[in-house]
Amino acid sequence: MIKSTKQWNIHRPDETAVSLLMDELGLPSMHAKILAARGLTDPAEARAFLQTDAHTLHDPFTMHDMDKAVSRIRQAIETGEHIVVYGDYDADGVTSVSVLTTALERLGADVSFAIPNRFEHGYGPNSTLFQEIADLGASLIITVDNGVSGIEQAAFAQSIGLDLIITDHHEIGDELPKATAVIHPRHPEGKYPFGELAGVGVAFKLATALLGEAPLDLLEYVAIGTVADLVPLLDENRFFVKEGIRRLRMSSRPGIQALAKAGGTELRQFTEETLGFMVGPRLNAPGRLGDADTAVDLLKADDPSTAAGIAAELDRLNKERQALVNTITEEALTMIETDYGNDVPYVFVLAKEGWNPGVIGIVSSRITEKFHRPSIILSIDPAAGTAKGSARSIDGFDLYKELAENRKLLPHFGGHQMAAGMTLALSDVDELRDRLNRQAAAVLSDEQLIASVDIDVPLSIGEIDVDVLESLEQLRPFGMAFPKPVYLIENTTVGSIRKIGAAKNHLKLDLEDGGHKLDAIGFSQGFLADEMTHGMSLSVTGDLQVNEWNNFKKPQILLDDIKSDERQVFDLRGIRDPKRWIGTIPKERVLFVAFQPASRTYFNPFLPGVDIRMADSCSADPDIEHLVLLDIPEQEKQLQELITLYQPGRIYAHFHATESRYFDGIPSRQEFGWYFTFLKKRGTFQLEQQAEQLAKHKGWKIDTIYFMSKVFFELGFVKIENGAVIAEPAAGKRDLTEAPSYQERQQQIEMEERLLYAPYQELKQWFQQVPRAQAVEEETVWT
């Protein structure tokens, strides 16, 4: 048995809808299942979704205040005013700056940009920075990817004679800033048909309105910011990313080419995952550690040499950021182990001086993912007496709502259900921790504290091939609101099992199903090889990919999780030297069992410090998950009772037999008859002196003569006195099977045949047939 690491929530798409999509659109079953699982069951809607193009774009002037913004910007361009585009320090922010400054430059504007420093200015509009901008002669500021919460800063800008145009996509509060224009896709007075644009999407709409047409070449920037900001990939966003990636794959921009080279990726291989995991982190890195301007400089670089230098610097900063995250994460884990041990709280609130505020959000994500608990990671500023940090949550614990219950402790906080940022007094950290844990205990159920995965694309191996996987391009991009599929392959058979990698810490399986085969790779799952047996049945979840090696392509699944309800039977029979297999046995939650006292005596020297339990003295123990069967029971019932008692997931069957009787068998009735006739004729037969001679004469083993003598004695056919066997002339008729010795020999042979000498599959089947306990933990939710 292999337990899954997460609860599997399996959602099966409607088969009728899948068939209809296959027939109407000519799609492979895999594609149809993905669409149906995401609610696209109508062929017309599905076709429109797949064929998204520029017609998806909405009129930018339907966005509230767009006309005012365009009018003011054109006035500034005509009169030669200096315009400053005011951005944010993340990937969405720097791509927003790149889009809008490029558009303004094409219109001949006198434009520059400013991005606040995370550590000096904080997020969003900053009055000090506004003053510096004004002092440099600017008269118009256009914010991108920020500004909607800057009530006081907007008023300050107005007080010093700066005009302010705000473009943003973040949540709108109870009050809007007073500005020349506030452009927001969800403006309360607006009628824009799609409200889920990223900051760069809003900047692109402003650029479109200014230029009079959509600057499609700038979708390279828009795609990056849209993916990095995790907005829903629907409607315009889907077109932005799909078309943007198409253009990125053949980009001539030196900055994009340099980014690809620094990340070790060819442009033609760009996908939404490349943007999210390679490009985005590098553009984020400078803003997390200091000045984000270099990210804009790279995106807009027009010289390959300059671009290469900046890309190398961003790559260095990203590695520095990764090292910081790893260090802080290790420190946080050590703190958890020291402070909590095995008593995991509902909410982790961890604080330490020196933790970089620019990366602790990533650390919080890691802690929440590892423990499936909400977490808050705080950086302590002892001089100010404050703690500043980031938080991440799980389903069922609305982070913003629960933090709002503690407003008195949190002078500054913001966010949404799953993520938040905050600043509080250092003296209030302990109280916040206590409060949040009490709140979480009241709202989180035990089920919500178990990590789960939603699986919506069950497949058979026969549905998977290279052509089908490569044609998934027509469904891309995957992302928020159109998530990447989590594939499920159920009840497949394991062929070969291997540990791979220099450290043998990765897993490679050959999966088989109805004549079809599929390679499976599990990174950092090599330990599972010790829990698997050839021919076992299991189910796996993961991501399907095309593996190309030496110009040969084949499909493979990158494993995420594995589950098997089968008892795993590890065949140690025939390995006579215990030292050859003892090292393969788990060190914990394991019980060594012997049925014969002699076996325990035999194995004790090989297992120092191990309590070898006699089968007749075993009692239920929920901590036992694995059984090592050292020898053979006298009766099948003994073994059945033992398996039923412990319900082991893994069974290691050695079945040591001091004296095997299987190949000796039981003498035939003719042999018994000849021997009895011989005894009657002899009258007295001396076993010790004459058994060897008789055995040679008949071609029997000496043990056979002793065995038949014992059977006759138990049936009253003979008496044995001083080693002499004497036939009883008046013995009555009785069946040989009535003799206890005969029964024991028969049972031993049957047990050896069934357990010691049976083919592996028969042995495994025997163990599978032992009834399971009534209460078995359910790990799969079917919907």
Side-chain angles (χ1 to χ4, degrees):
M1 179 182 295
I2 298 177
K3 294 182 179 181
S4 59
T5 60
K6 299 176 182 177
Q7 178 176 283
W8 293 6
N9 301 322
I10 301 176
H11 310 277
R12 300 187 181 277
D14 181 81
E15 294 182 5
T16 303
V18 170
S19 297
L20 184 61
L21 290 171
M22 292 173 65
D23 294 341
E24 293 288 328
L25 303 182
L27 295 172
S29 59
M30 182 189 299
H31 300 28
K33 287 180 178 180
I34 293 171
L35 291 172
R38 282 146 185 71
L40 291 166
T41 56
D42 179 78
E45 291 181 5
R47 181 180 286 108
F49 180 82
L50 295 175
Q51 296 176 352
T52 183
D53 56 25
H55 292 96
T56 306
L57 299 178
H58 305 300
D59 181 356
F61 284 99
T62 60
M63 202 172 284
H64 187 76
D65 277 357
M66 183 64 78
D67 53 346
K68 294 180 182 178
V70 169
S71 175
R72 177 65 185 91
I73 293 169
R74 284 177 175 165
Q75 177 189 343
I77 295 172
E78 290 171 2
T79 58
E81 297 176 59
H82 183 60
I83 303 171
V84 173
V85 176
Y86 186 97
D88 186 25
Y89 37 66
D90 65 4
D92 188 17
V94 299
T95 53
S96 299
V97 169
S98 300
V99 165
L100 192 55
T101 55
T102 301
L104 289 170
E105 287 163 358
R106 290 177 182 177
L107 292 169
D110 176 13
V111 61
S112 63
F113 70 90
I115 298 176
N117 183 288
R118 180 192 296 266
F119 306 100
E120 183 180 351
H121 306 110
Y123 167 76
N126 180 275
S127 296
T128 301
L129 197 50
F130 278 6
Q131 183 65 62
E132 293 177 10
I133 291 170
D135 292 343
L136 292 174
S139 56
L140 174 62
I141 291 178
I142 309 172
T143 72
V144 288
D145 192 33
N146 74 97
V148 76
S149 61
I151 309 298
E152 296 178 4
Q153 294 83 359
F156 177 79
Q158 187 178 42
S159 72
I160 61 173
L162 278 174
D163 282 348
L164 181 65
I165 294 174
I166 292 172
T167 76
D168 200 357
H169 73 118
H170 292 95
E171 291 300 322
I172 297 174
D174 297 334
E175 180 183 356
L176 283 169
K178 289 183 170 52
T180 301
V182 177
I183 299 175
H184 193 293
R186 298 186 302 280
H187 195 292
E189 298 178 34
K191 297 180 181 179
Y192 196 69
F194 181 62
E196 300 300 329
L197 296 174
V200 70
V202 181
F204 181 80
K205 302 309 291 189
L206 177 56
T208 300
L210 287 167
L211 294 168
E213 61 180 2
L216 298 181
D217 64 302
L218 297 183
L219 289 180
E220 294 178 36
Y221 299 148
V222 179
I224 295 170
T226 299
V227 170
D229 215 53
L230 302 177
V231 292
L233 295 190
L234 303 174
D235 203 277
E236 288 183 301
N237 288 341
R238 178 171 169 80
F239 172 71
F240 289 160
V241 177
K242 193 174 187 70
E243 177 63 16
I245 289 174
R246 188 188 72 81
R247 290 172 177 271
L248 281 164
R249 288 172 177 168
M250 52 186 182
S251 178
S252 60
R253 285 188 164 85
I256 298 298
Q257 293 177 343
L259 263 176
K261 186 175 182 179
T265 305
E266 295 183 29
L267 283 175
R268 63 183 179 86
Q269 296 177 330
F270 266 36
T271 67
E272 64 276 16
E273 292 185 9
T274 313
L275 305 188
F277 297 108
M278 189 277 282
V279 176
R282 283 170 172 78
L283 294 179
N284 276 326
R288 290 190 182 279
L289 302 179
D291 186 357
D293 289 8
T294 52
V296 177
D297 294 338
L298 173 63
L299 291 174
K300 298 187 66 176
D302 54 15
D303 173 63
S305 177
T306 301
I310 301 174
E313 174 63 11
L314 263 60
D315 192 56
R316 184 193 67 78
L317 289 171
N318 188 51
K319 290 175 180 175
E320 182 181 339
R321 186 270 307 169
Q322 291 172 330
L324 272 173
V325 169
N326 291 338
T327 299
I328 297 173
T329 300
E330 287 302 316
E331 291 177 359
L333 291 174
T334 299
M335 192 178 296
I336 289 171
E337 184 176 353
T338 301
D339 294 348
Y340 298 104
N342 294 324
D343 188 16
V344 179
Y346 284 94
V347 181
F348 288 106
V349 180
L350 308 174
K352 187 175 180 181
E353 182 182 349
W355 282 352
N356 189 309
V359 301
I360 55 179
I362 303 174
V363 176
S364 181
S365 294
R366 289 191 179 183
I367 297 299
T368 292
E369 182 178 357
K370 180 176 179 64
F371 294 97
H372 196 64
R373 297 288 193 278
S375 69
I376 299 176
I377 308 298
L378 298 165
S379 176
I380 294 174
D381 182 345
T386 60
K388 180 180 181 180
S390 295
R392 300 293 184 269
S393 193
I394 61 175
D395 288 335
F397 191 75
D398 186 329
L399 199 52
Y400 185 85
K401 177 183 176 182
E402 300 300 335
L403 288 173
E405 295 290 325
N406 301 279
R407 290 181 185 275
K408 292 182 179 179
L409 302 179
L410 299 169
H412 304 289
F413 80 97
H416 49 80
Q417 289 183 350
M418 303 301 287
M422 70 209 67
T423 301
L424 69 158
L426 182 57
S427 58
D428 290 333
V429 170
D430 290 342
E431 184 174 354
L432 179 66
R433 179 187 296 113
D434 293 341
R435 288 189 179 192
L436 288 177
N437 271 281
R438 287 196 299 269
Q439 291 168 220
V443 300
L444 287 172
S445 66
D446 291 341
E447 287 185 356
Q448 289 171 315
L449 295 174
I450 300 173
S452 65
V453 57
D454 290 325
I455 303 167
D456 54 6
V457 188
L459 296 172
S460 64
I461 295 178
E463 295 176 87
I464 304 165
D465 62 36
V466 169
D467 291 339
V468 168
L469 292 178
E470 289 185 336
S471 67
L472 278 173
E473 184 67 25
Q474 62 184 308
L475 270 67
R476 292 183 180 275
F478 296 114
M480 300 298 292
F482 190 69
K484 184 177 181 179
V486 177
Y487 299 102
L488 168 68
I489 301 174
E490 297 176 277
N491 303 320
T492 184
T493 302
V494 175
S496 65
I497 306 164
R498 285 190 290 154
K499 293 181 181 181
I500 60 174
K504 302 298 182 184
N505 59 330
H506 307 308
L507 177 69
K508 186 176 189 300
L509 305 175
D510 291 332
L511 305 180
E512 302 173 357
D513 178 15
H516 301 283
K517 294 185 177 182
L518 180 68
D519 289 348
I521 303 293
F523 290 109
S524 301
Q525 297 183 46
F527 65 92
L528 287 175
D530 297 328
E531 303 178 25
M532 296 182 176
T533 54
H534 175 80
M536 69 179 289
S537 175
L538 50 71
S539 298
V540 302
T541 68
D543 179 31
L544 289 166
Q545 295 187 347
V546 175
N547 179 38
E548 184 171 359
W549 179 254
N550 288 336
N551 296 319
F552 178 72
K553 296 180 179 180
K554 62 190 303 188
Q556 69 178 15
I557 185 167
L558 297 183
L559 298 172
D560 176 48
D561 209 354
I562 299 175
K563 183 175 73 169
S564 175
D565 294 328
E566 284 189 351
R567 291 190 179 104
Q568 296 311 299
V569 180
F570 294 84
D571 192 356
L572 306 178
R573 301 172 301 174
I575 307 177
R576 295 185 174 226
D577 185 356
K579 289 182 287 187
R580 291 178 52 199
W581 57 261
I582 284 174
T584 68
I585 306 300
K587 305 299 182 187
E588 299 178 348
R589 308 177 77 86
V590 61
L591 180 66
F592 290 78
V593 179
F595 293 92
Q596 311 297 333
S599 296
R600 181 160 66 173
T601 302
Y602 172 77
F603 282 101
N604 270 330
F606 298 102
L607 297 166
V610 174
D611 176 21
I612 300 175
R613 196 80 54 85
M614 295 303 299
D616 57 8
S617 66
C618 286
S619 58
D621 185 344
D623 289 334
I624 299 300
E625 293 185 355
H626 320 301
L627 286 183
V628 181
L629 304 175
L630 296 174
D631 58 1
I632 297 175
E634 294 179 352
Q635 296 181 4
E636 184 176 303
K637 183 181 179 182
Q638 292 175 284
L639 185 55
Q640 288 177 332
E641 289 175 347
L642 187 71
I643 302 303
T644 302
L645 178 67
Y646 288 107
Q647 294 293 320
R650 281 183 256 166
I651 297 170
Y652 296 83
H654 180 55
F655 292 145
H656 171 73
T658 304
E659 294 183 274
S660 174
R661 301 299 185 188
Y662 178 73
F663 293 106
D664 294 343
I666 297 178
S668 67
R669 289 186 177 274
Q670 289 77 11
E671 289 171 320
F672 271 108
W674 186 93
Y675 182 49
F676 188 63
T677 301
F678 168 80
L679 291 174
K680 286 194 296 184
K681 288 180 179 180
R682 290 290 296 263
T684 300
F685 179 68
Q686 296 293 334
L687 277 174
E688 291 186 9
Q689 289 81 13
Q690 298 173 321
E692 183 177 355
Q693 182 181 358
L694 178 61
K696 288 181 179 180
H697 173 71
K698 294 296 294 181
W700 293 342
K701 290 183 177 181
I702 295 177
D703 178 74
T704 300
I705 297 172
Y706 276 88
F707 172 68
M708 289 191 292
S709 300
K710 187 175 183 181
V711 170
F712 288 158
F713 173 76
E714 291 172 348
L715 294 174
F717 293 171
V718 301
K719 59 183 178 181
I720 299 177
E721 296 177 352
N722 299 320
V725 182
I726 305 169
E728 293 279 10
K733 285 188 175 183
R734 295 184 66 184
D735 195 283
L736 294 171
T737 58
E738 295 180 44
S741 294
Y742 191 99
Q743 294 173 2
E744 289 174 8
R745 174 70 66 92
Q746 196 170 40
Q747 287 175 354
Q748 182 178 2
I749 290 173
E750 289 175 355
M751 291 303 297
E752 288 186 18
E753 180 180 22
R754 185 165 296 165
L755 300 178
L756 187 57
Y757 296 109
Y760 171 74
Q761 289 300 330
E762 291 183 14
L763 177 68
K764 179 179 177 180
Q765 185 178 10
W766 186 92
F767 280 109
Q768 299 296 349
Q769 290 173 348
V770 178
R772 294 185 181 276
Q774 292 298 312
V776 177
E777 181 181 354
E778 184 61 54
E779 296 176 339
T780 303
V781 177
W782 305 90
T783 60

